[in-house]
Amino acid sequence: MKTIGLIGGMSWESTAVYYRRLNEQVRNVRGGLHSAEILMRSIDFDSIVAMQKADDWDGAAKVLQKIARELQAAGADCVLICTNTMHKLADAVQSAIDVPLLNIIDICALELKAAGARKPLLLATRYTMEHDFYRERMSRHGVETIVPDADDRTAVHDIIFSELCCGIIRDGSRERYMDVIARGRAAGADSVILGCTEIGLLIQPENIDLPAFDSTLLHADAAVDFALGDGPSSHADAA
């Protein structure tokens, strides 16, 4: 079994989901008392949020590069950035290490294509919805992402940071997300990407009347496939 390296803590609420999913899936495949070989570095999220707000992506890249190198030196055979937003820096992080970085965007794109989805509604932080990195990488796979309008983007973003990252789950926020999804469907979306690793704490794919893809679970499952040798790594498929 290969060792999975996690850059976590962004937020720790979703990193906990990664840890549970990785171990559950290894046990499902191997049975008995088997669990995943994991190395994890959990960072103080507040420091990363400050860099995001200051538009200091170069500073954030240096932080993640250092952690990735440390994980590799400790024995990680692959690295996961346990957040969609920080995949804005995925290429920079990959350039700092020799082991594969399993890219959450590529993994989601491949799942979308396999399901026949080509025009997903992307729900995520403002950075992921409004910066080009996510949509551009999806487009390499022939997937055209659409995003909510400005008011809905603000609501989706604010709920993530003020509630989900703090472990707060509110029925009213779930209803707000479902309204955003309904408007996305009316605008032509054929599917939904839960493109922030905390969104699955609020809504699950089975609650949505479109095909929905939980990026957190897909990312973790791809890491298990890599670790057990049961499937290909997707990190370089769009390179």
Side-chain angles (χ1 to χ4, degrees), residues 109 112-113 117-120 135 138-145:
L112 283 157
K113 289 176 67 177
R118 291 295 183 274
K119 194 173 183 179
R135 283 176 288 175
M138 276 279 174
S139 71
R140 301 185 203 178
H141 295 275
V143 176
E144 177 193 356
T145 55

Side-chain angles (χ1 to χ4, degrees), residues 59-76:
K62 291 176 182 177
V63 172
L64 298 194
Q65 287 174 324
K66 181 176 182 292
I67 294 172
R69 286 192 293 265
E70 291 170 349
L71 288 170
Q72 177 178 300

Side-chain angles (χ1 to χ4, degrees), residues 74-126:
D77 295 299
C78 68
V79 171
L80 279 68
I81 303 172
C82 299
T83 158
N84 282 270
T85 295
M86 301 310 285
H87 275 73
K88 178 179 175 69
L89 309 174
D91 289 343
V93 176
Q94 178 66 84
S95 72
I97 54 178
D98 299 319
V99 298
L101 177 82
L102 304 189
N103 192 302
I104 198 169
I105 306 171
D106 293 340
I107 289 162
C108 289
L110 293 173
E111 291 292 331
L112 283 157
K113 289 176 67 177
R118 291 295 183 274
K119 194 173 183 179
L121 174 70
L122 174 63
L123 301 180
T125 67
R126 176 177 291 112

Side-chain angles (χ1 to χ4, degrees), residues 46-60 127 131:
D46 189 73
S47 64
I48 295 295
V49 172
M51 291 180 188
Q52 292 174 343
K53 289 180 177 179
D55 204 29
D56 184 13
W57 297 100
D58 289 340
Y127 311 109
H131 294 194

Side-chain angles (χ1 to χ4, degrees), residues 16 26 78 159 162 204:
V26 169
C78 68
I159 288 168
S162 64
Q204 288 75 48

